[in-house]
Every structure is written in C-alpha cells, then in structure tokens.
Amino acid sequence: MTPSAPIAPIHPHTYTLHGQTITDDYFWLRDRQDPQVMDYLQAENGYTEAVLEPQQELREQLYQELKSRIKEDDSSPPAKSDNYYYYSRVESGKQYRIHCRKRDSLDTAEEILLDGNELAETLPYFSLGIFDISLNHEILAYSVDSDGSESYTIRFKNLVTGALFPEELPHTYYSSAWGNDNQTFYYAVLDDAQRPYRIYRHHLGTPVTADELLYEETDSQFFIGVSKSNDDRYIFLDVDGSITSEVHLLSADDPTAKFQCFAPRQRGIEYDIFHHEGYFYIHTNEDALNFRLLKTPVTTTARSAWEEVIPHDPECLLEGVEEFKTFWVIYERRLGLQFLRIWDLRSGEKHEIEVNDPTYSIYGAANYEYDTEIFRFAYSSMVLPTTVYDYDVRSRQKVIVKQDEVPGGYDPDLYASERLWATAEDGQRVPISLVYAKSVPRDGSAPLYLTGYGAYGISSNAYFSSLRLSLLERGFVYAIAHIRGGSDLGRSWYESGKFLHKKNTFTDFIACAEHLIAQGYTTTGMVAISGGSAGGLLMGAAVNLRPDLFRAAIADVPFVDVLNTMLDDTLPLTQLEFDEWGNPQDEVYFNYIQSYSPYDNVTSQAYPHLLVTAGLNDPRVTYWEPAKWVAKLRRLKTDQNLLLLKTNMDAGHGGSSGRYERLKEEALEFTFLLRVFGMATV
C-alpha cells in the first residue's frame, strides 16, 4: 500500500514591500518551538522511510558496497614539524579520526593526542573544529561542536601530562592562533546571530572572564578570524565581507600587543597578506580583477610604498601564494584548471608542477615546516585516487608518500575522463568535467548524473571518489558543470554569475545538460541532477525552469527561500551576503531575486522526482527553507513523481558527523536514484 504524503497546513503570513503584498503560506514552519513543526518534520521523515521501504535490501547493499570501498583502517601520511611527525588515523568500526604523533622518527612509539571516538561517545553529533598545537608542542587547543550548529567549545590539553586545563571557551568559531610564549591564545567568539565578531586573548590557566577583548566587528556584513604567519612572526586578524576585506596584525612574540590595521577597508577591495624576510606581501584585487601580488617593507604599510611583484593577468586568476623560507608556491587557475607554480627565491627561476589529466584537482597538503625544500601536495583526477607527493623544489623530483587505496580492487584503465565545453544561451563557453566507464555506449541510452554549484566564487574542482564507482559501475555518466558564479574561469566568471546576473548560473547548468544530451552521453529525461546549499538553489531554479529535462533532482540543504532569507537580517549570513545576492530592500534586487527564488517560483506543473535534505541545527541554510519548499511543491505539483524530505534531527549543514553515518546518507540518495531510474534491483 502506498503511504500518504504529509500535507502541511496553510497559515498565511503577509507583508508588504515596494508596493507588493507577499503571502508566505508556510512561514509558520520557522518556529521550531512549535510542536506542530516538529511533528511535520518527523512525518516527512517517516514518509521518506515508508516510500523507500521496498528498497530496504538495496539500501543496505549499497551501504555495504560503499563501505567496502573505503579503507576502514587507514592513516594520513605523517607530516614533520620540528622533531615530531603528526598524523591521524581511523580504525575499523569507529566513526571518527584518532590524532597522533611520533617523536624523532616514525619508528618510535605512537602518542595519541586526541581520540574523536572517545569525545563523541555521549554526543548525538560530533565535529572537531580547531586542532591547534602550541609552538613548543606541549599544549593542544581543540574545539567541539556537539549539535551541528557550528558553535564550538574550546578546551586545552597538556600533552606532557595528558591532563585537561580547567577552562572552557564557549560559543567560539573555528579559527585560532597561539602566541610564541606557548601561553597566549587568540580566538574568535560568535554573537547571537552565530557571526564571529569578537577576538579575545586568553592566557592559559586563567579564568575565561579575565580574557582580553582585542577587537569587535560591529558591521554585520563582516566575519572575522585569526591565523598565524607561516614563519610564526605575526598573528593576523582577518575581517572578511563578500567583496571587501581588511587585515590587522600584531607580533606573536608580545603577549600584550594590540592589533594594528594593515590597510583600512575600501568597499570592493579584497586583500590578504603574508610576511616573508622583512616584507609584507599583499595579495589583492585592487586594480586587478584576477588579483596581483605587491610588497612593502615591514616598516611601513602605506599604500604609497607598495611595489608590484606579480602583475595582474586577465587570463590567469592568482588564487594565492604559500610562502616558505627559500621558495613560494603560486596557486593559479587558467581556463578552469589549477596550476601550482614554484618560485625558487634563490635562483629566481619559476616552473610548474607537471599534470597529465584533462581535468583534476591539485592543492597543498600538510606543510608544517617553513625552512624546507620539500613541498607536499595532493593530486586527484576523476579516474586517479588522491595521491600525496613530496616534491623537491630543487631537483624537481616527486615521491609518492601515499595513494588512497580502493579496497576490492580498482582499475583506472576501465574508466575515461574528459573535459568538454558547452555553449550557454549568451554564447559563453562553459567547461564540463566528466567520467564514465569505457563500456558505456555513446548512443544516448546511459543515465547521467550532473552536479554543479556556481556561487561565492568557489570553483568546482574535478576529483576522485570511490563512492562514485557505485554509479559508474551501473552505467551512469558523472559530470561536473563549471558554471558562472564560481571562479573556474577567473574572477569575471564569478562576477557574471552573481547580483543581477545570477540567472546565468542556472542557464549555464541547463546548457551543460543539453550539450551532454546533444553529444550522445545521455538523453532528455535520463538526467539526474544534484547540488547542495547554494548548489541546492541551483537545483530548485533548474527544476522550475526546465522540469522536462530531468528525471530526478537531489537537493541537499538547499538555499531555496532566497527572498525571505535575504529579507531577514537576524540570520547569520544575510547581511554578509548582500554583496552576493543583493539587498532586497532595494526594489531592483527585490524584483530580480523574486524572479528566480525557487520557493517563490514553484508553480502548477510536473516536476522531476525530488529528494530534499535538511539539518535541524543548520545555521547556514535553516531547516525551514527545504521544509517550506517541499510543502509548497507537494501542494502545487501536478505529477505523481516522488517528493521526499529527509531532515537530520541531530545535525547541521554538513549532515551526519560520523563517517559510517555519512555513508548511510549516501546510500539513501543512491537508493532513491536507482529506484527512479528503474534500476533498483539487488
């Protein structure tokens, strides 16, 4: 017997703005103290389980399959810091990582610094925030979020005796820095809206009430955090808005120092700094859309003293610089691909680390030592498991430190990876990364899994996933759309997918699906799409615009109630994100956001099969956004396709915290997909 879907009651809530009267029938779902709200969420969870109950055996099989492809007993490659080698490991059957070190050599006895499994034992949710060890390697500062709200409590552990210090620092953000005296500690505190707004200095062993407030950010459009320079000379305070930033600094040697502003903020100007051998280096977009690098002596921070080191390149995004004593690693992005360029400061020579795949990810790994000639990086492609290398910047030789193992065997020669270009409706060329089994026919009969994000300037890099093999082995083509709103093709790619250009993100995504259909990888109605958070906004917009194109959509913690959220400045991210989406108090932005906001544009039409997830304690995309969207869809859609809402009642934005619980969430999504594609056989 088919279970009955929950029907959320309508309680109209109206407001008037810019001469328009807006009615929100499901505004009441915001009140989590209302028992009716909890009853509704639980009813939706029960409905999801009941609908998928016939596939329970498949779901368990998928879970076991996914689990069989991860190495349950595994360890990260040890990374050297002074006389210690730091690493973390996981044990079979345990959910969380165990953080360890060895002294002097890898042959000495292991010292367990922190066992996440022990910390999580009595908690419904566990997330480790900071893991910050003092300069003398004797004190560990760590923080824990116990409900997914991203509010952390910091504790201190004496690594010599194993004892915990009595003080606890509550309601903190995940950034921190140690002073060089190994007693002074800098940390960020959240306000009532979950925004990091204050920086305090704590002296180990003293009451938290005595902590010194060093900085308070009163502008709600900015988040703040602290970090330490790679050479351990300075503590940096970063003040970041969506399009504007400011840095303050103080000496890490002086436990009484006050923060000094490096360069006052100017709207639209972003910058960050690092210190190297008597100079501050400024990575900035000032007069440089794709960023450039400047320098100034530590004796003056006046803009008039800044000298150019790496000029602006309109064809290359300068993503950042990682500094070491005798070389730098320059992070660049050209034509949507990442490049690591080594600058040997002794010889002045520059060279790139070689890559071979058509689409890939490459990034710095654990590099704890400043005075070294070895750079550790990780490389992954859609067919190559993540491989960690130690790279000698002098000899240009690289040594594999570790390659992720796929238990049960994996043959990359059975798979092919490509990079294609779709043409958007305005003529822009949009890159697509894809992978598939070589046995899959190119006659349009294959199902396609297409994902995308397209927001905040975040680029979507191609990477390997052993979990993805469960789809590839069943004949799916897997593709990533590198759409506008990200910085995949440089900063202009981001600028042309935000504010009053946001719809380019959605039409780019649709163009990618249409291109893959035209090239014979799949056909209309055989496409599943997936995205989370701002990528969930993409899912909502795509199914409103072209529901005929897709068979199914998975929207994880989707940002779908854009207009109402951006009108509520009590939420953590709203004011910060006025420079991403626009402020709807301005009528121009109000009308534009209203024209694409998925919740506001649900209409009476047939929709694809939909699986929607939420986290009850999510501070980024509140649970009521997906809940309201599903309620409205259920009332208005004209089809008989599945519409499922799964709310994690013990988690936040990232879903379940334990690695096995996350596999169960993945198995649920794969079960949904295989069912709606008629492939739900055990």
Side-chain angles (χ1 to χ4, degrees), residues 602-615:
V602 172
T603 188
S604 180
Q605 65 177 353
Y607 281 88
H609 298 278
L610 289 163
L611 173 62
V612 184
T613 70

Side-chain angles (χ1 to χ4, degrees), residues 416-431:
S417 176
E418 294 184 55
R419 191 162 180 260
L420 308 177
W421 294 83
T423 301
E425 61 180 24
D426 63 355
Q428 286 282 359
R429 298 178 72 232
V430 184

Side-chain angles (χ1 to χ4, degrees), residues 139-177:
I139 309 294
L140 166 65
Y142 69 92
S143 65
V144 172
D145 168 14
S146 60
D147 63 6
S149 67
E150 300 181 40
S151 174
Y152 292 83
T153 297
I154 297 174
R155 298 296 310 270
F156 299 93
K157 182 178 180 179
N158 187 320
L159 297 179
V160 177
T161 66
L164 287 175
F165 285 78
E167 60 261 40
E168 298 184 10
L169 313 181
H171 207 45
T172 63
Y173 194 55
Y174 36 82
S175 74
S176 64

